Amino acid sequence: MAVFPNSHDLSGLPPDAIAAAAHVLAAGGLVAFPTETVYGLGADATSPEAVAKIYAAKGRPQFNPLISHVFSLEAAEREGLFTPEARRLSEAFWPGPLTLILPRAPGGTVCDLACAGLATVGLRIPAHPIALALLRAFGRPVAAPSANRSGRISPTQAADVAADLGATVHILDGGRCAVGVESTIVACLEGAVSLLRPGGLSVEAIEAVLGHPLDQTPAKGIQAPGMLASHYAPNAALRLNAADLRAGEAGLDFGGALANASLDLSPGGDLQEAAANLYRYLRALDARGAKTIAVAAIPDKGLGAAINDRLRRAAAPRG
Ligand code: TXA
Ligand code: MG
């Protein structure tokens, strides 16, 4: 395993770290890399053999389509057909925590396996200097789900990746992810714009650019498997909207509402800070052996919608 020093930019990486990682990708291998949302487990999106290694490493059902990460709008336009609304969203929010689901473009290079055989492709330009440097050096789309074993909490620091995926994975260490929850997924298909997964970009911000509300009725047929009821699960059970702590519970607080909580996602009640801390704190309470984590109520606006979505899935009965 190659783990490089902590850094929020490229300055902490050895000079050849990006080139070495791009070489691993070109040879059909896997590279875990930081994005602004969570760490991704990347492979050459154009190679089914390389993409298959992602599914194997994650222990993930093969029918889940993956997000293909690209360096530029031009590269995205080679892979997906942009509706006028998709174009406006990409111009407003890329690079950033937004994934667009688009019809696959004729001549696109992302392989069928990365799209799980669908006629659509998931595309994103991540806002992280290491991710962008890697994408630029590699020059092809990189398919990357979150770098955790399937059904587990997404990693927001390099140590979480190593804990989940072990010693075989090549990791670029970019420190902690600033956003901390996965990208917001929006499908732009046949004139309709619909929310498939709340995430690091708020619905309010997207609607402000569109000038109309997003379709939030659960999409049929293009369901994102990140919507499986039990997903993003820690080992501990979760009790949501807790007003107090019961015997033996560890408390995960927000805004100082719970007495005797172990950790507070944001003592000042800041939803962005809470999102950035969410997975790391759930992992930390798990590591302490908590049987049940009682979580304080989180306001359901802005990034709170994504936080509550992940908490509900983590609290769901395990399948
Ligand atoms: O922030 C993120 O989105 C992170 C970083 C690494 O970019 N990635 C991530 O990937 O969360 P993953 O694989 O854990 O979640 C990707 C979601 C899945 O729920 C998948 O089903 C959905 O994107 N998806 C990808 N392509 C799709 C498509 N063509 N149609 C419907 N859903 C798609
Ligand atoms: Mg994931």
PDB file of all heavy atoms in Angstrom, residues 35 37-40 60 65-67 69 99 101 118 120-122 124 144-146 182-183 185 196-197 222-226, ligand 1:
ATOM      1  N   THR A  35     -11.843  13.255  -2.949  1.00  0.00           N
ATOM      2  CA  THR A  35     -12.613  14.290  -3.632  1.00  0.00           C
ATOM      3  C   THR A  35     -13.141  15.211  -2.523  1.00  0.00           C
ATOM      4  O   THR A  35     -12.936  14.941  -1.343  1.00  0.00           O
ATOM      5  CB  THR A  35     -13.800  13.728  -4.456  1.00  0.00           C
ATOM      6  OG1 THR A  35     -14.886  13.436  -3.572  1.00  0.00           O
ATOM      7  CG2 THR A  35     -13.406  12.494  -5.250  1.00  0.00           C
ATOM      8  N   THR A  37     -16.107  15.447  -1.634  1.00  0.00           N
ATOM      9  CA  THR A  37     -17.227  14.805  -0.932  1.00  0.00           C
ATOM     10  C   THR A  37     -16.710  13.687  -0.044  1.00  0.00           C
ATOM     11  O   THR A  37     -16.747  13.797   1.182  1.00  0.00           O
ATOM     12  CB  THR A  37     -18.257  14.260  -1.934  1.00  0.00           C
ATOM     13  OG1 THR A  37     -17.617  13.331  -2.816  1.00  0.00           O
ATOM     14  CG2 THR A  37     -18.910  15.378  -2.721  1.00  0.00           C
ATOM     15  N   VAL A  38     -16.275  12.590  -0.657  1.00  0.00           N
ATOM     16  CA  VAL A  38     -15.724  11.435   0.055  1.00  0.00           C
ATOM     17  C   VAL A  38     -14.591  10.877  -0.802  1.00  0.00           C
ATOM     18  O   VAL A  38     -14.393  11.317  -1.936  1.00  0.00           O
ATOM     19  CB  VAL A  38     -16.805  10.339   0.290  1.00  0.00           C
ATOM     20  CG1 VAL A  38     -17.969  10.895   1.111  1.00  0.00           C
ATOM     21  CG2 VAL A  38     -17.317   9.758  -1.033  1.00  0.00           C
ATOM     22  N   TYR A  39     -13.841   9.908  -0.277  1.00  0.00           N
ATOM     23  CA  TYR A  39     -12.804   9.252  -1.088  1.00  0.00           C
ATOM     24  C   TYR A  39     -13.454   8.311  -2.094  1.00  0.00           C
ATOM     25  O   TYR A  39     -14.410   7.608  -1.770  1.00  0.00           O
ATOM     26  CB  TYR A  39     -11.835   8.461  -0.204  1.00  0.00           C
ATOM     27  CG  TYR A  39     -10.734   9.323   0.382  1.00  0.00           C
ATOM     28  CD1 TYR A  39     -11.018  10.217   1.409  1.00  0.00           C
ATOM     29  CD2 TYR A  39      -9.437   9.259  -0.110  1.00  0.00           C
ATOM     30  CE1 TYR A  39     -10.016  11.030   1.932  1.00  0.00           C
ATOM     31  CE2 TYR A  39      -8.423  10.066   0.407  1.00  0.00           C
ATOM     32  CZ  TYR A  39      -8.718  10.954   1.423  1.00  0.00           C
ATOM     33  OH  TYR A  39      -7.736  11.750   1.929  1.00  0.00           O
ATOM     34  N   GLY A  40     -12.933   8.321  -3.331  1.00  0.00           N
ATOM     35  CA  GLY A  40     -13.411   7.424  -4.365  1.00  0.00           C
ATOM     36  C   GLY A  40     -12.428   6.287  -4.588  1.00  0.00           C
ATOM     37  O   GLY A  40     -11.229   6.429  -4.338  1.00  0.00           O
ATOM     38  N   ARG A  60     -19.482  -5.409  -4.086  1.00  0.00           N
ATOM     39  CA  ARG A  60     -20.694  -4.674  -4.484  1.00  0.00           C
ATOM     40  C   ARG A  60     -21.461  -5.455  -5.533  1.00  0.00           C
ATOM     41  O   ARG A  60     -20.876  -5.997  -6.451  1.00  0.00           O
ATOM     42  CB  ARG A  60     -20.264  -3.308  -5.036  1.00  0.00           C
ATOM     43  CG  ARG A  60     -21.282  -2.664  -5.940  1.00  0.00           C
ATOM     44  CD  ARG A  60     -20.843  -1.269  -6.345  1.00  0.00           C
ATOM     45  NE  ARG A  60     -21.213  -0.319  -5.308  1.00  0.00           N
ATOM     46  CZ  ARG A  60     -21.440   0.966  -5.551  1.00  0.00           C
ATOM     47  NH1 ARG A  60     -21.305   1.458  -6.754  1.00  0.00           N
ATOM     48  NH2 ARG A  60     -21.788   1.769  -4.583  1.00  0.00           N
ATOM     49  N   PRO A  65     -24.670   0.978 -11.162  1.00  0.00           N
ATOM     50  CA  PRO A  65     -23.846   1.818 -12.030  1.00  0.00           C
ATOM     51  C   PRO A  65     -22.936   2.729 -11.197  1.00  0.00           C
ATOM     52  O   PRO A  65     -23.257   3.057 -10.056  1.00  0.00           O
ATOM     53  CB  PRO A  65     -24.877   2.630 -12.808  1.00  0.00           C
ATOM     54  CG  PRO A  65     -26.088   2.661 -11.929  1.00  0.00           C
ATOM     55  CD  PRO A  65     -26.070   1.406 -11.117  1.00  0.00           C
ATOM     56  N   LEU A  66     -21.808   3.115 -11.792  1.00  0.00           N
ATOM     57  CA  LEU A  66     -20.817   3.927 -11.086  1.00  0.00           C
ATOM     58  C   LEU A  66     -20.777   5.344 -11.655  1.00  0.00           C
ATOM     59  O   LEU A  66     -21.168   5.561 -12.799  1.00  0.00           O
ATOM     60  CB  LEU A  66     -19.429   3.301 -11.237  1.00  0.00           C
ATOM     61  CG  LEU A  66     -19.302   1.840 -10.824  1.00  0.00           C
ATOM     62  CD1 LEU A  66     -17.899   1.337 -11.165  1.00  0.00           C
ATOM     63  CD2 LEU A  66     -19.587   1.685  -9.336  1.00  0.00           C
ATOM     64  N   ILE A  67     -20.295   6.279 -10.866  1.00  0.00           N
ATOM     65  CA  ILE A  67     -20.085   7.641 -11.359  1.00  0.00           C
ATOM     66  C   ILE A  67     -18.756   7.690 -12.104  1.00  0.00           C
ATOM     67  O   ILE A  67     -17.743   7.208 -11.590  1.00  0.00           O
ATOM     68  CB  ILE A  67     -20.079   8.643 -10.183  1.00  0.00           C
ATOM     69  CG1 ILE A  67     -21.446   8.646  -9.489  1.00  0.00           C
ATOM     70  CG2 ILE A  67     -19.710  10.037 -10.675  1.00  0.00           C
ATOM     71  CD1 ILE A  67     -21.465   9.424  -8.177  1.00  0.00           C
ATOM     72  N   HIS A  69     -15.832  10.040 -13.317  1.00  0.00           N
ATOM     73  CA  HIS A  69     -15.267  11.355 -12.997  1.00  0.00           C
ATOM     74  C   HIS A  69     -14.431  11.826 -14.171  1.00  0.00           C
ATOM     75  O   HIS A  69     -13.644  11.046 -14.724  1.00  0.00           O
ATOM     76  CB  HIS A  69     -14.405  11.255 -11.739  1.00  0.00           C
ATOM     77  CG  HIS A  69     -15.176  10.840 -10.520  1.00  0.00           C
ATOM     78  ND1 HIS A  69     -15.665   9.567 -10.359  1.00  0.00           N
ATOM     79  CD2 HIS A  69     -15.570  11.534  -9.427  1.00  0.00           C
ATOM     80  CE1 HIS A  69     -16.325   9.498  -9.206  1.00  0.00           C
ATOM     81  NE2 HIS A  69     -16.279  10.678  -8.615  1.00  0.00           N
ATOM     82  N   THR A  99     -23.581  15.186  -9.310  1.00  0.00           N
ATOM     83  CA  THR A  99     -23.475  14.160 -10.352  1.00  0.00           C
ATOM     84  C   THR A  99     -24.687  14.276 -11.258  1.00  0.00           C
ATOM     85  O   THR A  99     -25.820  14.351 -10.769  1.00  0.00           O
ATOM     86  CB  THR A  99     -23.419  12.745  -9.734  1.00  0.00           C
ATOM     87  OG1 THR A  99     -22.211  12.636  -8.988  1.00  0.00           O
ATOM     88  CG2 THR A  99     -23.458  11.666 -10.812  1.00  0.00           C
ATOM     89  N   ILE A 101     -26.916  12.520 -14.241  1.00  0.00           N
ATOM     90  CA  ILE A 101     -27.233  11.300 -14.982  1.00  0.00           C
ATOM     91  C   ILE A 101     -27.799  11.741 -16.325  1.00  0.00           C
ATOM     92  O   ILE A 101     -28.830  12.438 -16.372  1.00  0.00           O
ATOM     93  CB  ILE A 101     -28.258  10.430 -14.222  1.00  0.00           C
ATOM     94  CG1 ILE A 101     -27.797  10.158 -12.787  1.00  0.00           C
ATOM     95  CG2 ILE A 101     -28.528   9.136 -14.988  1.00  0.00           C
ATOM     96  CD1 ILE A 101     -26.519   9.384 -12.644  1.00  0.00           C
ATOM     97  N   LEU A 118     -26.854   0.344 -18.500  1.00  0.00           N
ATOM     98  CA  LEU A 118     -27.929   1.324 -18.706  1.00  0.00           C
ATOM     99  C   LEU A 118     -27.632   2.188 -19.931  1.00  0.00           C
ATOM    100  O   LEU A 118     -26.494   2.269 -20.385  1.00  0.00           O
ATOM    101  CB  LEU A 118     -28.083   2.225 -17.470  1.00  0.00           C
ATOM    102  CG  LEU A 118     -28.477   1.533 -16.172  1.00  0.00           C
ATOM    103  CD1 LEU A 118     -28.429   2.528 -15.011  1.00  0.00           C
ATOM    104  CD2 LEU A 118     -29.873   0.939 -16.290  1.00  0.00           C
ATOM    105  N   THR A 120     -27.830   5.275 -19.737  1.00  0.00           N
ATOM    106  CA  THR A 120     -27.430   6.547 -19.132  1.00  0.00           C
ATOM    107  C   THR A 120     -26.047   6.418 -18.510  1.00  0.00           C
ATOM    108  O   THR A 120     -25.562   5.316 -18.250  1.00  0.00           O
ATOM    109  CB  THR A 120     -28.425   6.961 -18.037  1.00  0.00           C
ATOM    110  OG1 THR A 120     -28.558   5.877 -17.109  1.00  0.00           O
ATOM    111  CG2 THR A 120     -29.793   7.297 -18.622  1.00  0.00           C
ATOM    112  N   VAL A 121     -25.417   7.579 -18.285  1.00  0.00           N
ATOM    113  CA  VAL A 121     -24.100   7.605 -17.648  1.00  0.00           C
ATOM    114  C   VAL A 121     -24.128   8.647 -16.530  1.00  0.00           C
ATOM    115  O   VAL A 121     -24.766   9.696 -16.662  1.00  0.00           O
ATOM    116  CB  VAL A 121     -22.987   7.900 -18.690  1.00  0.00           C
ATOM    117  CG1 VAL A 121     -23.171   9.265 -19.347  1.00  0.00           C
ATOM    118  CG2 VAL A 121     -21.599   7.789 -18.064  1.00  0.00           C
ATOM    119  N   GLY A 122     -23.470   8.339 -15.410  1.00  0.00           N
ATOM    120  CA  GLY A 122     -23.338   9.281 -14.300  1.00  0.00           C
ATOM    121  C   GLY A 122     -22.010  10.007 -14.424  1.00  0.00           C
ATOM    122  O   GLY A 122     -20.962   9.365 -14.512  1.00  0.00           O
ATOM    123  N   ARG A 124     -19.347  13.437 -13.276  1.00  0.00           N
ATOM    124  CA  ARG A 124     -19.060  14.469 -12.279  1.00  0.00           C
ATOM    125  C   ARG A 124     -17.643  14.981 -12.471  1.00  0.00           C
ATOM    126  O   ARG A 124     -16.725  14.205 -12.738  1.00  0.00           O
ATOM    127  CB  ARG A 124     -19.240  13.851 -10.890  1.00  0.00           C
ATOM    128  CG  ARG A 124     -18.804  14.683  -9.720  1.00  0.00           C
ATOM    129  CD  ARG A 124     -19.395  14.091  -8.445  1.00  0.00           C
ATOM    130  NE  ARG A 124     -18.390  13.700  -7.472  1.00  0.00           N
ATOM    131  CZ  ARG A 124     -17.740  14.545  -6.678  1.00  0.00           C
ATOM    132  NH1 ARG A 124     -17.979  15.837  -6.751  1.00  0.00           N
ATOM    133  NH2 ARG A 124     -16.864  14.098  -5.805  1.00  0.00           N
ATOM    134  N   ALA A 144     -15.580   5.748 -10.246  1.00  0.00           N
ATOM    135  CA  ALA A 144     -15.229   5.665  -8.828  1.00  0.00           C
ATOM    136  C   ALA A 144     -16.466   5.762  -7.950  1.00  0.00           C
ATOM    137  O   ALA A 144     -17.097   6.808  -7.864  1.00  0.00           O
ATOM    138  CB  ALA A 144     -14.253   6.780  -8.448  1.00  0.00           C
ATOM    139  N   PRO A 145     -16.801   4.657  -7.285  1.00  0.00           N
ATOM    140  CA  PRO A 145     -17.754   4.734  -6.184  1.00  0.00           C
ATOM    141  C   PRO A 145     -16.994   5.154  -4.931  1.00  0.00           C
ATOM    142  O   PRO A 145     -15.765   5.308  -4.966  1.00  0.00           O
ATOM    143  CB  PRO A 145     -18.243   3.292  -6.051  1.00  0.00           C
ATOM    144  CG  PRO A 145     -17.055   2.474  -6.451  1.00  0.00           C
ATOM    145  CD  PRO A 145     -16.277   3.300  -7.469  1.00  0.00           C
ATOM    146  N   SER A 146     -17.699   5.366  -3.853  1.00  0.00           N
ATOM    147  CA  SER A 146     -17.021   5.657  -2.594  1.00  0.00           C
ATOM    148  C   SER A 146     -16.128   4.467  -2.224  1.00  0.00           C
ATOM    149  O   SER A 146     -16.460   3.321  -2.497  1.00  0.00           O
ATOM    150  CB  SER A 146     -18.051   5.930  -1.502  1.00  0.00           C
ATOM    151  OG  SER A 146     -19.024   4.902  -1.467  1.00  0.00           O
ATOM    152  N   GLU A 182     -21.747  12.336   0.109  1.00  0.00           N
ATOM    153  CA  GLU A 182     -21.601  12.116  -1.317  1.00  0.00           C
ATOM    154  C   GLU A 182     -22.302  13.216  -2.117  1.00  0.00           C
ATOM    155  O   GLU A 182     -23.139  13.958  -1.610  1.00  0.00           O
ATOM    156  CB  GLU A 182     -22.194  10.750  -1.702  1.00  0.00           C
ATOM    157  CG  GLU A 182     -21.509   9.558  -1.057  1.00  0.00           C
ATOM    158  CD  GLU A 182     -22.020   9.252   0.342  1.00  0.00           C
ATOM    159  OE1 GLU A 182     -22.772  10.084   0.904  1.00  0.00           O
ATOM    160  OE2 GLU A 182     -21.675   8.183   0.870  1.00  0.00           O
ATOM    161  N   SER A 183     -21.979  13.222  -3.417  1.00  0.00           N
ATOM    162  CA  SER A 183     -22.558  14.228  -4.303  1.00  0.00           C
ATOM    163  C   SER A 183     -24.077  14.076  -4.414  1.00  0.00           C
ATOM    164  O   SER A 183     -24.625  13.002  -4.217  1.00  0.00           O
ATOM    165  CB  SER A 183     -21.926  14.096  -5.700  1.00  0.00           C
ATOM    166  OG  SER A 183     -22.186  12.809  -6.235  1.00  0.00           O
ATOM    167  N   ILE A 185     -27.207  13.669  -6.661  1.00  0.00           N
ATOM    168  CA  ILE A 185     -27.381  13.068  -7.992  1.00  0.00           C
ATOM    169  C   ILE A 185     -28.679  13.572  -8.618  1.00  0.00           C
ATOM    170  O   ILE A 185     -29.760  13.431  -8.035  1.00  0.00           O
ATOM    171  CB  ILE A 185     -27.400  11.533  -7.931  1.00  0.00           C
ATOM    172  CG1 ILE A 185     -26.116  11.017  -7.254  1.00  0.00           C
ATOM    173  CG2 ILE A 185     -27.535  10.945  -9.340  1.00  0.00           C
ATOM    174  CD1 ILE A 185     -26.007   9.497  -7.211  1.00  0.00           C
ATOM    175  N   LEU A 196     -32.182  12.181  -7.674  1.00  0.00           N
ATOM    176  CA  LEU A 196     -32.066  10.754  -7.364  1.00  0.00           C
ATOM    177  C   LEU A 196     -31.468  10.526  -5.985  1.00  0.00           C
ATOM    178  O   LEU A 196     -31.725   9.515  -5.356  1.00  0.00           O
ATOM    179  CB  LEU A 196     -31.215  10.031  -8.408  1.00  0.00           C
ATOM    180  CG  LEU A 196     -31.710  10.020  -9.847  1.00  0.00           C
ATOM    181  CD1 LEU A 196     -30.891   9.039 -10.679  1.00  0.00           C
ATOM    182  CD2 LEU A 196     -33.182   9.668  -9.921  1.00  0.00           C
ATOM    183  N   ARG A 197     -30.615  11.436  -5.546  1.00  0.00           N
ATOM    184  CA  ARG A 197     -29.997  11.294  -4.222  1.00  0.00           C
ATOM    185  C   ARG A 197     -29.657  12.675  -3.681  1.00  0.00           C
ATOM    186  O   ARG A 197     -28.923  13.407  -4.333  1.00  0.00           O
ATOM    187  CB  ARG A 197     -28.715  10.446  -4.324  1.00  0.00           C
ATOM    188  CG  ARG A 197     -27.959  10.301  -3.008  1.00  0.00           C
ATOM    189  CD  ARG A 197     -26.722   9.412  -3.129  1.00  0.00           C
ATOM    190  NE  ARG A 197     -25.601  10.086  -3.775  1.00  0.00           N
ATOM    191  CZ  ARG A 197     -24.411   9.514  -4.007  1.00  0.00           C
ATOM    192  NH1 ARG A 197     -24.200   8.254  -3.686  1.00  0.00           N
ATOM    193  NH2 ARG A 197     -23.449  10.198  -4.589  1.00  0.00           N
ATOM    194  N   ILE A 222     -34.788   4.275 -13.067  1.00  0.00           N
ATOM    195  CA  ILE A 222     -33.435   4.829 -12.969  1.00  0.00           C
ATOM    196  C   ILE A 222     -33.056   5.039 -11.514  1.00  0.00           C
ATOM    197  O   ILE A 222     -32.293   5.908 -11.167  1.00  0.00           O
ATOM    198  CB  ILE A 222     -33.289   6.152 -13.749  1.00  0.00           C
ATOM    199  CG1 ILE A 222     -34.417   7.116 -13.387  1.00  0.00           C
ATOM    200  CG2 ILE A 222     -33.231   5.900 -15.236  1.00  0.00           C
ATOM    201  CD1 ILE A 222     -34.185   8.522 -13.897  1.00  0.00           C
ATOM    202  N   GLN A 223     -33.632   4.217 -10.667  1.00  0.00           N
ATOM    203  CA  GLN A 223     -33.330   4.256  -9.242  1.00  0.00           C
ATOM    204  C   GLN A 223     -31.816   4.160  -9.016  1.00  0.00           C
ATOM    205  O   GLN A 223     -31.171   3.285  -9.574  1.00  0.00           O
ATOM    206  CB  GLN A 223     -34.006   3.046  -8.594  1.00  0.00           C
ATOM    207  CG  GLN A 223     -34.120   3.140  -7.110  1.00  0.00           C
ATOM    208  CD  GLN A 223     -35.438   3.783  -6.704  1.00  0.00           C
ATOM    209  OE1 GLN A 223     -36.051   4.509  -7.459  1.00  0.00           O
ATOM    210  NE2 GLN A 223     -35.838   3.522  -5.499  1.00  0.00           N
ATOM    211  N   ALA A 224     -31.272   5.053  -8.234  1.00  0.00           N
ATOM    212  CA  ALA A 224     -29.874   4.920  -7.848  1.00  0.00           C
ATOM    213  C   ALA A 224     -29.781   3.883  -6.734  1.00  0.00           C
ATOM    214  O   ALA A 224     -30.445   4.027  -5.716  1.00  0.00           O
ATOM    215  CB  ALA A 224     -29.320   6.258  -7.366  1.00  0.00           C
ATOM    216  N   PRO A 225     -28.978   2.818  -6.905  1.00  0.00           N
ATOM    217  CA  PRO A 225     -28.907   1.816  -5.856  1.00  0.00           C
ATOM    218  C   PRO A 225     -28.356   2.350  -4.539  1.00  0.00           C
ATOM    219  O   PRO A 225     -28.442   1.674  -3.523  1.00  0.00           O
ATOM    220  CB  PRO A 225     -27.993   0.736  -6.452  1.00  0.00           C
ATOM    221  CG  PRO A 225     -28.187   0.889  -7.920  1.00  0.00           C
ATOM    222  CD  PRO A 225     -28.339   2.374  -8.127  1.00  0.00           C
ATOM    223  N   GLY A 226     -27.813   3.558  -4.534  1.00  0.00           N
ATOM    224  CA  GLY A 226     -27.492   4.206  -3.268  1.00  0.00           C
ATOM    225  C   GLY A 226     -28.753   4.433  -2.460  1.00  0.00           C
ATOM    226  O   GLY A 226     -28.713   4.876  -1.323  1.00  0.00           O
TER     227      GLY A 226
HETATM  228  O1  TXA B   1     -19.618  12.010  -3.997  1.00  0.00           O
HETATM  229  C1  TXA B   1     -19.779  11.012  -4.677  1.00  0.00           C
HETATM  230  O2  TXA B   1     -20.722  10.878  -5.465  1.00  0.00           O
HETATM  231  C2  TXA B   1     -18.749   9.894  -4.523  1.00  0.00           C
HETATM  232  C3  TXA B   1     -17.392  10.430  -5.010  1.00  0.00           C
HETATM  233  C4  TXA B   1     -16.330   9.368  -5.005  1.00  0.00           C
HETATM  234  O3  TXA B   1     -17.544  11.001  -6.273  1.00  0.00           O
HETATM  235  N1  TXA B   1     -19.127   8.724  -5.249  1.00  0.00           N
HETATM  236  C5  TXA B   1     -20.189   7.959  -4.879  1.00  0.00           C
HETATM  237  O4  TXA B   1     -20.344   6.857  -5.674  1.00  0.00           O
HETATM  238  O5  TXA B   1     -20.912   8.198  -3.941  1.00  0.00           O
HETATM  239  P1  TXA B   1     -21.293   5.629  -5.321  1.00  0.00           P
HETATM  240  O6  TXA B   1     -20.994   4.582  -6.341  1.00  0.00           O
HETATM  241  O7  TXA B   1     -21.116   5.234  -3.911  1.00  0.00           O
HETATM  242  O8  TXA B   1     -22.690   6.164  -5.639  1.00  0.00           O
HETATM  243  C6  TXA B   1     -23.022   6.447  -6.966  1.00  0.00           C
HETATM  244  C7  TXA B   1     -24.479   6.488  -7.138  1.00  0.00           C
HETATM  245  C8  TXA B   1     -25.068   5.111  -6.999  1.00  0.00           C
HETATM  246  O9  TXA B   1     -26.207   5.178  -6.158  1.00  0.00           O
HETATM  247  C9  TXA B   1     -25.444   4.771  -8.422  1.00  0.00           C
HETATM  248  O10 TXA B   1     -26.515   3.924  -8.512  1.00  0.00           O
HETATM  249  C10 TXA B   1     -25.738   6.147  -9.017  1.00  0.00           C
HETATM  250  O11 TXA B   1     -24.745   6.941  -8.457  1.00  0.00           O
HETATM  251  N2  TXA B   1     -25.607   6.138 -10.469  1.00  0.00           N
HETATM  252  C11 TXA B   1     -24.490   6.140 -11.205  1.00  0.00           C
HETATM  253  N3  TXA B   1     -24.773   6.085 -12.527  1.00  0.00           N
HETATM  254  C12 TXA B   1     -26.123   6.032 -12.610  1.00  0.00           C
HETATM  255  C13 TXA B   1     -27.056   5.935 -13.685  1.00  0.00           C
HETATM  256  N4  TXA B   1     -26.655   5.866 -14.950  1.00  0.00           N
HETATM  257  N5  TXA B   1     -28.365   5.903 -13.376  1.00  0.00           N
HETATM  258  C14 TXA B   1     -28.785   5.958 -12.093  1.00  0.00           C
HETATM  259  N6  TXA B   1     -27.956   6.045 -11.046  1.00  0.00           N
HETATM  260  C15 TXA B   1     -26.647   6.072 -11.289  1.00  0.00           C
END
